[in-house]
Coordinates of all heavy atoms in Angstrom, one line a residue:
M12 N -3.7 11.2 5.9 CA -2.5 11.9 5.6 C -2.8 13.0 4.7 O -3.5 12.8 3.7 CB -1.5 10.9 5.0 CG -0.2 11.5 4.6 SD 0.8 10.2 3.8 CE 2.3 10.6 4.4
S13 N -2.3 14.2 5.0 CA -2.6 15.4 4.2 C -1.7 15.4 2.9 O -0.6 14.9 3.0 CB -2.5 16.6 5.0 OG -1.2 16.8 5.4
M14 N -2.2 16.1 1.9 CA -1.4 16.2 0.7 C -0.4 17.3 0.8 O -0.8 18.5 1.2 CB -2.4 16.5 -0.5 CG -1.7 16.6 -1.8 SD -1.1 15.0 -2.2 CE -0.7 15.2 -3.9
I15 N 0.9 17.1 0.6 CA 1.9 18.1 0.7 C 2.1 18.7 -0.7 O 2.2 17.9 -1.7 CB 3.2 17.5 1.2 CG1 3.1 16.8 2.6 CG2 4.3 18.5 1.2 CD1 2.7 17.8 3.7
T16 N 2.1 20.0 -0.8 CA 2.2 20.6 -2.1 C 3.7 21.1 -2.2 O 4.4 21.2 -1.3 CB 1.3 21.8 -2.2 OG1 1.7 22.8 -1.2 CG2 -0.1 21.4 -2.0
K17 N 4.1 21.4 -3.5 CA 5.4 21.9 -3.7 C 5.6 23.3 -3.0 O 6.7 23.6 -2.5 CB 5.6 22.1 -5.2 CG 5.9 20.8 -5.9 CD 6.3 20.9 -7.3 CE 6.6 19.6 -8.0 NZ 7.0 19.8 -9.4
E18 N 4.5 24.0 -2.9 CA 4.5 25.3 -2.2 C 4.9 25.0 -0.7 O 5.8 25.8 -0.1 CB 3.2 26.0 -2.2 CG 3.2 27.4 -1.6 CD 1.8 28.0 -1.7 OE1 1.4 28.2 -2.8 OE2 1.2 28.3 -0.6
T19 N 4.4 24.0 -0.1 CA 4.7 23.7 1.3 C 6.2 23.2 1.4 O 6.9 23.7 2.3 CB 3.8 22.5 1.8 OG1 2.5 22.9 1.7 CG2 4.2 22.1 3.2
L20 N 6.6 22.5 0.4 CA 8.1 22.1 0.4 C 9.0 23.3 0.2 O 10.0 23.3 0.9 CB 8.3 21.1 -0.8 CG 7.8 19.7 -0.6 CD1 8.0 18.8 -1.8 CD2 8.4 19.0 0.6
H21 N 8.6 24.2 -0.6 CA 9.4 25.5 -0.7 C 9.5 26.2 0.6 O 10.6 26.7 1.0 CB 8.7 26.4 -1.8 CG 9.0 26.0 -3.2 ND1 10.2 26.1 -3.8 CD2 8.1 25.4 -4.1 CE1 10.1 25.6 -5.1 NE2 8.9 25.2 -5.3
R22 N 8.4 26.2 1.3 CA 8.4 26.9 2.7 C 9.3 26.2 3.6 O 10.1 26.8 4.4 CB 7.0 27.0 3.2 CG 6.2 28.1 2.7 CD 5.0 28.5 3.5 NE 4.1 27.4 3.8 CZ 3.1 27.0 3.0 NH1 2.8 27.7 1.9 NH2 2.3 26.0 3.4
V23 N 9.3 24.8 3.6 CA 10.1 24.0 4.4 C 11.6 24.3 4.1 O 12.4 24.5 5.0 CB 9.8 22.5 4.3 CG1 10.8 21.7 5.0 CG2 8.4 22.3 4.9
V24 N 11.9 24.3 2.8 CA 13.3 24.5 2.4 C 13.7 25.9 2.8 O 14.9 26.1 3.3 CB 13.4 24.3 0.9 CG1 14.8 24.7 0.4 CG2 13.3 22.8 0.5
D25 N 12.9 26.9 2.6 CA 13.2 28.3 3.0 C 13.5 28.4 4.4 O 14.3 29.3 4.9 CB 12.1 29.2 2.5 CG 12.1 29.4 1.0 OD1 13.1 29.1 0.3 OD2 11.0 29.9 0.6
A26 N 12.9 27.6 5.3 CA 13.1 27.6 6.7 C 14.3 26.9 7.2 O 14.6 27.0 8.4 CB 11.8 27.1 7.4
L27 N 14.9 26.1 6.3 CA 16.1 25.3 6.8 C 17.2 26.2 7.2 O 17.5 27.2 6.6 CB 16.6 24.4 5.6 CG 15.8 23.2 5.3 CD1 16.3 22.5 4.0 CD2 15.8 22.2 6.4
P28 N 18.0 25.7 8.2 CA 19.2 26.4 8.6 C 20.2 26.3 7.4 O 20.2 25.3 6.7 CB 19.7 25.7 9.8 CG 18.7 24.6 10.1 CD 17.7 24.6 9.1
E29 N 21.0 27.3 7.2 CA 22.0 27.2 6.1 C 22.8 26.0 6.2 O 23.2 25.4 5.1 CB 22.8 28.5 6.2 CG 23.6 28.8 4.9 CD 22.7 29.0 3.7 OE1 21.6 29.6 3.8 OE2 23.1 28.6 2.6
S30 N 23.1 25.5 7.4 CA 24.0 24.3 7.5 C 23.4 23.0 7.0 O 24.1 22.1 6.7 CB 24.3 24.1 9.0 OG 23.1 23.9 9.7
E31 N 22.0 23.0 6.7 CA 21.4 21.9 6.2 C 21.0 21.9 4.7 O 20.4 21.0 4.2 CB 20.1 21.6 7.0 CG 20.4 21.3 8.5 CD 21.3 20.1 8.7 OE1 21.2 19.2 8.0 OE2 22.1 20.2 9.7
V32 N 21.3 23.0 4.1 CA 20.9 23.2 2.7 C 21.6 22.2 1.8 O 20.9 21.6 0.9 CB 21.2 24.7 2.2 CG1 21.0 24.8 0.7 CG2 20.3 25.7 3.0
D33 N 22.8 21.9 1.9 CA 23.5 21.0 1.1 C 22.9 19.6 1.2 O 22.7 18.9 0.2 CB 25.0 20.9 1.4 CG 25.8 22.1 0.9 OD1 25.2 22.8 0.0 OD2 26.9 22.3 1.4
T34 N 22.6 19.2 2.4 CA 22.0 17.9 2.7 C 20.6 17.8 2.1 O 20.3 16.8 1.4 CB 21.9 17.6 4.2 OG1 23.2 17.6 4.8 CG2 21.3 16.3 4.5
A35 N 19.8 18.8 2.2 CA 18.5 18.8 1.7 C 18.6 18.7 0.1 O 17.8 18.0 -0.5 CB 17.7 20.1 2.1
A36 N 19.5 19.4 -0.5 CA 19.6 19.4 -1.9 C 20.0 18.0 -2.4 O 19.4 17.5 -3.4 CB 20.7 20.4 -2.4
R37 N 20.9 17.3 -1.7 CA 21.2 15.9 -2.1 C 20.1 15.0 -1.9 O 19.8 14.1 -2.8 CB 22.4 15.4 -1.2 CG 23.8 16.1 -1.6 CD 24.9 15.4 -1.0 NE 24.9 15.3 0.4 CZ 25.3 16.2 1.3 NH1 25.9 17.3 0.8 NH2 25.2 16.0 2.6
V38 N 19.3 15.1 -0.9 CA 18.1 14.3 -0.7 C 17.1 14.5 -1.7 O 16.6 13.6 -2.3 CB 17.5 14.5 0.7 CG1 16.2 13.8 0.9 CG2 18.5 14.0 1.8
L39 N 16.8 15.8 -2.0 CA 15.8 16.1 -3.1 C 16.3 15.6 -4.5 O 15.5 15.1 -5.3 CB 15.4 17.5 -3.0 CG 14.7 18.0 -1.8 CD1 14.5 19.5 -1.8 CD2 13.3 17.3 -1.7
E40 N 17.5 15.8 -4.8 CA 18.1 15.3 -6.0 C 17.9 13.8 -6.1 O 17.6 13.3 -7.2 CB 19.5 15.8 -6.2 CG 19.6 17.2 -6.5 CD 21.1 17.7 -6.5 OE1 22.0 16.9 -6.2 OE2 21.3 18.9 -6.8
A41 N 18.2 13.1 -5.1 CA 18.1 11.6 -5.1 C 16.7 11.2 -5.3 O 16.4 10.3 -6.0 CB 18.7 11.1 -3.7
L42 N 15.7 11.9 -4.7 CA 14.3 11.6 -4.9 C 13.9 11.8 -6.3 O 13.1 11.0 -6.8 CB 13.4 12.5 -4.0 CG 13.4 12.1 -2.5 CD1 12.6 13.2 -1.7 CD2 12.8 10.8 -2.3
G43 N 14.5 12.7 -7.0 CA 14.2 13.0 -8.4 C 14.7 11.9 -9.3 O 14.2 11.8 -10.4
T44 N 15.6 11.1 -8.9 CA 16.2 10.0 -9.7 C 15.6 8.6 -9.4 O 16.0 7.7 -10.0 CB 17.7 10.0 -9.6 OG1 18.1 9.6 -8.3 CG2 18.3 11.3 -10.0
L45 N 14.7 8.5 -8.4 CA 14.2 7.2 -8.0 C 13.5 6.5 -9.1 O 13.7 5.3 -9.3 CB 13.2 7.4 -6.8 CG 13.9 7.6 -5.5 CD1 12.8 7.8 -4.4 CD2 14.8 6.5 -5.1
G46 N 12.8 7.1 -10.0 CA 12.1 6.4 -11.0 C 13.0 5.8 -12.0 O 12.8 4.7 -12.6
A47 N 14.2 6.4 -12.3 CA 15.1 5.9 -13.2 C 15.9 4.8 -12.7 O 16.5 4.0 -13.4 CB 16.1 7.1 -13.6
A48 N 15.9 4.6 -11.4 CA 16.7 3.5 -10.7 C 15.9 2.4 -10.3 O 16.3 1.6 -9.4 CB 17.5 4.1 -9.6
T49 N 14.7 2.2 -10.9 CA 13.9 1.1 -10.4 C 14.5 -0.2 -10.8 O 14.9 -0.5 -11.9 CB 12.5 1.2 -11.2 OG1 11.9 2.4 -10.9 CG2 11.6 0.1 -10.7
P50 N 14.7 -1.1 -9.7 CA 15.4 -2.4 -10.0 C 14.5 -3.3 -10.9 O 13.3 -3.2 -10.9 CB 15.5 -3.0 -8.6 CG 14.5 -2.3 -7.8 CD 14.2 -0.9 -8.4
L51 N 15.2 -4.2 -11.6 CA 14.5 -5.1 -12.4 C 13.8 -6.2 -11.6 O 12.8 -6.7 -12.0 CB 15.5 -5.8 -13.4 CG 16.2 -4.9 -14.4 CD1 17.3 -5.7 -15.1 CD2 15.2 -4.3 -15.3
Y52 N 14.4 -6.5 -10.4 CA 13.8 -7.5 -9.6 C 13.7 -7.0 -8.1 O 14.5 -6.2 -7.7 CB 14.7 -8.8 -9.5 CG 14.9 -9.5 -10.9 CD1 16.1 -9.4 -11.5 CD2 13.9 -10.2 -11.5 CE1 16.3 -10.0 -12.7 CE2 14.1 -10.8 -12.7 CZ 15.3 -10.7 -13.3 OH 15.5 -11.3 -14.5
S53 N 12.8 -7.6 -7.4 CA 12.8 -7.3 -5.9 C 13.4 -8.6 -5.3 O 13.6 -9.6 -6.0 CB 11.4 -7.1 -5.4 OG 10.7 -8.3 -5.5
A54 N 13.7 -8.6 -4.1 CA 14.3 -9.8 -3.4 C 13.3 -11.0 -3.5 O 13.8 -12.1 -3.6 CB 14.6 -9.5 -1.9
G55 N 12.0 -10.7 -3.6 CA 11.1 -11.8 -3.6 C 10.9 -12.4 -5.0 O 10.4 -13.5 -5.2
T56 N 11.2 -11.6 -6.1 CA 11.0 -12.1 -7.4 C 12.3 -12.4 -8.2 O 12.2 -12.9 -9.3 CB 10.2 -11.1 -8.2 OG1 10.9 -9.9 -8.3 CG2 8.8 -10.8 -7.6
A57 N 13.4 -12.0 -7.7 CA 14.7 -12.2 -8.4 C 15.0 -13.7 -8.6 O 14.7 -14.5 -7.6 CB 15.8 -11.6 -7.7
P58 N 15.5 -14.1 -9.7 CA 15.8 -15.5 -9.9 C 17.0 -15.9 -9.0 O 17.8 -15.0 -8.6 CB 16.2 -15.6 -11.3 CG 16.5 -14.3 -11.8 CD 15.7 -13.3 -10.9
F59 N 17.2 -17.1 -8.6 CA 18.3 -17.5 -7.8 C 19.6 -17.1 -8.4 O 20.5 -16.5 -7.7 CB 18.3 -19.0 -7.5 CG 19.5 -19.5 -6.7 CD1 19.5 -19.2 -5.3 CD2 20.5 -20.2 -7.3 CE1 20.6 -19.6 -4.6 CE2 21.6 -20.6 -6.5 CZ 21.6 -20.4 -5.2
D60 N 19.8 -17.3 -9.7 CA 21.0 -16.9 -10.4 C 20.6 -16.8 -11.8 O 20.1 -17.7 -12.4 CB 22.1 -18.0 -10.2 CG 23.4 -17.5 -10.8 OD1 23.5 -16.5 -11.5 OD2 24.4 -18.2 -10.6
D61 N 20.7 -15.6 -12.3 CA 20.2 -15.3 -13.7 C 21.3 -15.5 -14.8 O 21.1 -15.2 -15.9 CB 19.6 -13.9 -13.8 CG 20.6 -12.8 -13.5 OD1 21.8 -13.1 -13.1 OD2 20.2 -11.6 -13.6
E62 N 22.5 -16.0 -14.4 CA 23.5 -16.3 -15.4 C 23.7 -17.9 -15.4 O 23.6 -18.6 -14.4 CB 24.9 -15.7 -14.9 CG 24.9 -14.2 -14.9 CD 26.2 -13.7 -14.5 OE1 27.2 -14.4 -14.5 OE2 26.3 -12.5 -14.2
P63 N 23.9 -18.4 -16.6 CA 24.0 -19.8 -16.7 C 25.3 -20.3 -16.0 O 26.3 -19.6 -16.0 CB 24.2 -20.1 -18.2 CG 24.4 -18.7 -18.9 CD 24.0 -17.7 -17.9
E64 N 25.1 -21.5 -15.4 CA 26.3 -22.0 -14.7 C 27.3 -22.6 -15.7 O 26.9 -23.4 -16.5 CB 25.8 -23.1 -13.7 CG 26.9 -23.6 -12.8 CD 26.3 -24.6 -11.8 OE1 25.6 -25.5 -12.2 OE2 26.6 -24.4 -10.6
T65 N 28.5 -22.3 -15.5 CA 29.6 -22.8 -16.4 C 30.2 -24.0 -15.8 O 30.1 -24.2 -14.6 CB 30.6 -21.7 -16.7 OG1 31.3 -21.4 -15.5 CG2 30.0 -20.4 -17.3
E66 N 31.0 -24.7 -16.6 CA 31.7 -25.8 -16.0 C 32.8 -25.3 -15.0 O 33.0 -26.0 -14.0 CB 32.4 -26.6 -17.2 CG 33.1 -27.9 -16.7 CD 32.1 -28.8 -15.9 OE1 31.0 -29.0 -16.3 OE2 32.6 -29.4 -14.9
A67 N 33.4 -24.2 -15.3 CA 34.4 -23.6 -14.4 C 33.8 -23.3 -13.1 O 34.3 -23.5 -12.0 CB 35.1 -22.4 -15.0
K68 N 32.6 -22.7 -13.1 CA 31.9 -22.4 -11.9 C 31.5 -23.6 -11.1 O 31.7 -23.7 -9.9 CB 30.6 -21.6 -12.2 CG 29.9 -21.0 -10.9 CD 28.6 -20.3 -11.2 CE 28.8 -18.9 -11.7 NZ 27.6 -18.2 -11.8
R69 N 31.0 -24.7 -11.8 CA 30.7 -25.9 -11.1 C 31.9 -26.5 -10.4 O 31.9 -27.0 -9.3 CB 30.1 -26.9 -12.1 CG 28.6 -26.7 -12.3 CD 28.0 -27.9 -13.1 NE 28.4 -27.8 -14.5 CZ 27.8 -27.1 -15.5 NH1 26.8 -26.3 -15.2 NH2 28.2 -27.2 -16.7
A70 N 33.0 -26.5 -11.1 CA 34.3 -27.0 -10.6 C 34.7 -26.2 -9.3 O 35.2 -26.8 -8.3 CB 35.4 -27.0 -11.6
A71 N 34.6 -24.9 -9.4 CA 35.0 -24.1 -8.3 C 34.1 -24.3 -7.1 O 34.6 -24.4 -5.9 CB 34.9 -22.6 -8.7
V72 N 32.8 -24.5 -7.3 CA 31.9 -24.8 -6.2 C 32.2 -26.1 -5.6 O 32.3 -26.3 -4.3 CB 30.5 -24.7 -6.6 CG1 29.5 -25.2 -5.6 CG2 30.1 -23.2 -7.0
A73 N 32.5 -27.1 -6.4 CA 32.8 -28.5 -5.9 C 34.1 -28.4 -5.1 O 34.2 -29.0 -4.0 CB 33.0 -29.4 -7.1
E74 N 35.1 -27.7 -5.6 CA 36.4 -27.6 -4.8 C 36.2 -26.8 -3.5 O 36.7 -27.3 -2.4 CB 37.4 -26.8 -5.6 CG 38.7 -26.6 -4.9 CD 39.4 -27.9 -4.4 OE1 39.2 -28.9 -5.0 OE2 40.2 -27.8 -3.5
A75 N 35.4 -25.8 -3.5 CA 35.1 -25.1 -2.2 C 34.4 -26.0 -1.2 O 34.7 -26.0 0.0 CB 34.2 -23.8 -2.5
R76 N 33.4 -26.8 -1.7 CA 32.7 -27.7 -0.8 C 33.7 -28.8 -0.3 O 33.6 -29.2 0.9 CB 31.6 -28.3 -1.5 CG 30.4 -27.4 -1.7 CD 29.2 -28.0 -2.3 NE 28.1 -27.0 -2.3 CZ 27.2 -27.0 -3.3 NH1 27.2 -27.8 -4.3 NH2 26.2 -26.0 -3.2
A77 N 34.6 -29.3 -1.1 CA 35.6 -30.2 -0.7 C 36.5 -29.7 0.4 O 36.8 -30.3 1.4 CB 36.4 -30.8 -1.9
E78 N 36.9 -28.4 0.2 CA 37.8 -27.8 1.2 C 37.1 -27.6 2.5 O 37.7 -27.9 3.6 CB 38.2 -26.4 0.7 CG 39.2 -26.4 -0.4 CD 39.5 -25.0 -1.0 OE1 38.9 -24.0 -0.5 OE2 40.3 -24.9 -2.0
L79 N 35.8 -27.3 2.5 CA 35.0 -27.2 3.7 C 34.9 -28.5 4.4 O 35.0 -28.6 5.6 CB 33.6 -26.6 3.4 CG 33.6 -25.1 3.1 CD1 32.2 -24.6 2.7 CD2 34.1 -24.3 4.3
A80 N 34.7 -29.6 3.6 CA 34.5 -30.9 4.1 C 35.8 -31.4 4.8 O 35.8 -32.1 5.8 CB 34.1 -31.9 3.0
R81 N 37.0 -30.9 4.3 CA 38.3 -31.3 4.9 C 38.6 -30.3 6.1 O 39.7 -30.5 6.7 CB 39.4 -31.2 3.8 CG 39.2 -32.2 2.7 CD 40.5 -32.2 1.8 NE 40.8 -30.9 1.2 CZ 40.4 -30.5 -0.1 NH1 39.7 -31.4 -0.8 NH2 40.7 -29.4 -0.6
G82 N 37.7 -29.4 6.4 CA 38.0 -28.5 7.5 C 39.0 -27.4 7.1 O 39.6 -26.8 8.0
E83 N 39.1 -27.1 5.8 CA 40.1 -26.1 5.4 C 39.5 -24.7 5.3 O 40.2 -23.7 4.9 CB 40.7 -26.5 4.1 CG 41.5 -27.8 4.1 CD 42.0 -28.2 2.8 OE1 41.7 -27.6 1.7 OE2 42.6 -29.3 2.7
G84 N 38.3 -24.5 5.5 CA 37.7 -23.2 5.4 C 38.0 -22.3 6.6 O 38.6 -22.7 7.6
T85 N 37.7 -21.0 6.4 CA 38.0 -20.0 7.4 C 36.6 -19.5 7.9 O 35.8 -19.0 7.0 CB 38.9 -18.9 6.9 OG1 40.1 -19.4 6.4 CG2 39.1 -17.9 8.0
L86 N 36.3 -19.5 9.2 CA 35.1 -19.0 9.7 C 35.0 -17.5 9.5 O 36.0 -16.8 9.7 CB 34.9 -19.4 11.1 CG 34.8 -20.8 11.5 CD1 34.8 -21.0 13.0 CD2 33.6 -21.4 10.9
A87 N 33.8 -17.0 9.2 CA 33.7 -15.5 9.1 C 34.1 -14.8 10.4 O 34.7 -13.8 10.3 CB 32.2 -15.2 8.7
A88 N 33.7 -15.4 11.5 CA 34.1 -14.8 12.8 C 35.6 -14.6 12.9 O 36.1 -13.6 13.5 CB 33.5 -15.7 13.9
E89 N 36.3 -15.6 12.4 CA 37.8 -15.5 12.5 C 38.3 -14.3 11.6 O 39.2 -13.6 12.0 CB 38.4 -16.8 12.0 CG 39.9 -16.9 12.2 CD 40.4 -18.3 11.8 OE1 39.7 -19.3 12.1 OE2 41.5 -18.3 11.2
I90 N 37.7 -14.2 10.4 CA 38.1 -13.1 9.5 C 37.7 -11.8 10.2 O 38.5 -10.8 10.1 CB 37.4 -13.3 8.1 CG1 38.0 -14.5 7.5 CG2 37.6 -12.0 7.3 CD1 37.2 -14.9 6.2
Y91 N 36.6 -11.7 10.8 CA 36.1 -10.5 11.4 C 37.1 -10.1 12.5 O 37.5 -8.9 12.7 CB 34.7 -10.6 12.0 CG 33.6 -10.7 11.0 CD1 32.5 -11.4 11.2 CD2 33.8 -10.2 9.7 CE1 31.5 -11.5 10.3 CE2 32.8 -10.3 8.7 CZ 31.6 -11.0 9.1 OH 30.6 -11.1 8.1
R92 N 37.6 -11.1 13.3 CA 38.5 -10.8 14.4 C 39.8 -10.3 13.8 O 40.4 -9.3 14.3 CB 38.8 -12.1 15.2 CG 37.9 -12.4 16.4 CD 38.4 -13.5 17.3 NE 38.6 -14.7 16.6 CZ 37.7 -15.6 16.3 NH1 36.5 -15.4 16.7 NH2 38.0 -16.7 15.7
E93 N 40.3 -10.9 12.7 CA 41.5 -10.4 12.1 C 41.4 -9.0 11.6 O 42.4 -8.2 11.7 CB 41.9 -11.4 10.9 CG 42.4 -12.7 11.4 CD 42.7 -13.6 10.2 OE1 42.8 -13.1 9.0 OE2 42.8 -14.9 10.4
L94 N 40.2 -8.7 11.1 CA 40.0 -7.3 10.6 C 39.6 -6.3 11.7 O 39.5 -5.1 11.5 CB 38.9 -7.3 9.5 CG 39.3 -8.1 8.3 CD1 38.1 -8.2 7.4 CD2 40.5 -7.5 7.6
G95 N 39.4 -6.8 12.9 CA 39.0 -5.9 14.0 C 37.6 -5.5 13.9 O 37.2 -4.4 14.4
V96 N 36.7 -6.2 13.3 CA 35.3 -5.9 13.1 C 34.5 -6.5 14.2 O 34.6 -7.5 14.6 CB 34.8 -6.3 11.7 CG1 33.3 -6.0 11.6 CG2 35.6 -5.7 10.6

């Protein structure tokens, strides 16, 4: 892979059709902010849940599981149909 220089990038930008200048500017600005937006975790290293479980959360999960066991849940497919997705 060859090394691309800023001079080469300038030539590429200069050759862009006027209709693509705004898009190119947004892409380049986003690239400039990538270092600042580095995530703390990746999907492979993130903890399952980094907040302590509260009694209220445990009760809500227990109630949700009980509702599912009683057949009171709503299938995602049903919700998607209702939303037309």
Side-chain angles (χ1 to χ4, degrees):
M12 179 182 218
S13 64
M14 183 68 166
I15 303 295
T16 64
K17 286 186 178 184
E18 182 179 301
T19 302
L20 287 175
H21 284 285
R22 282 198 303 271
V23 170
V24 169
D25 288 342
L27 284 173
E29 197 61 36
S30 62
E31 299 301 324
V32 171
D33 287 341
T34 301
R37 287 193 304 273
V38 169
L39 291 171
E40 286 172 357
L42 285 173
T44 64
L45 283 179
T49 303
L51 297 175
Y52 300 108
S53 70
T56 62
F59 178 71
D60 187 349
D61 60 356
E62 294 181 17
E64 188 176 47
T65 64
E66 186 55 43
K68 186 185 279 189
R69 277 191 287 277
V72 169
E74 177 58 25
R76 287 185 174 148
E78 287 174 2
L79 288 174
R81 293 189 302 264
E83 296 174 3
T85 304
L86 297 174
E89 189 176 321
I90 295 170
Y91 293 151
R92 271 194 304 278
E93 288 177 16
L94 296 174
V96 177

